[in-house]
Amino acid sequence: MLERHPEEREIRLGLARVLSWDKKYTESLKQYAILHEKHPDDREVAIEQARVNSWSGDFARALRLYNRILAKHPKDRDALLGKGQVLTWTGRAPE
């Protein structure tokens, strides 16, 4: 399907999600990078890309992405939660 409709956001987003659920983080992040390039202001893509980076263990990248989202949307609950999880997992959560 993606071969016939490479520009289709929902198809690529679905593929990225399934790959991440299957712990194929590198492949998933490639799909999110393509999505981000085509939709740089897409909040959903940014949140999911940050989340997969955290699942893959790239906490620094995940934090950068969450901070970028929070710079534009300081009260974004998903970004705040994701950032809090990463800080907790890395032992940097505020007490």
Side-chain angles (χ1 to χ4, degrees), residues 24-65:
K24 295 179 179 176
Y25 302 127
T26 301
E27 294 92 338
S28 174
L29 289 168
K30 286 178 186 175
Q31 297 304 316
Y32 283 115
I34 293 167
L35 283 161
H36 179 73
E37 185 177 312
K38 295 176 190 283
H39 309 279
D41 296 321
D42 190 319
R43 180 200 157 279
E44 182 178 23
V45 169
I47 291 287
E48 292 187 24
Q49 186 177 28
R51 188 175 295 136
V52 174
N53 273 281
S54 68
W55 292 345
S56 74
D58 192 345
F59 300 125
R61 174 104 173 112
L63 284 174
R64 283 193 303 273
L65 292 169

Side-chain angles (χ1 to χ4, degrees), residues 51 66 70 76-89:
R51 188 175 295 136
Y66 284 129
L70 290 167
D76 186 294
R77 290 181 184 195
D78 292 323
L80 288 167
L81 175 63
K83 181 178 179 177
Q85 287 175 326
V86 171
L87 291 173
T88 299
W89 295 338

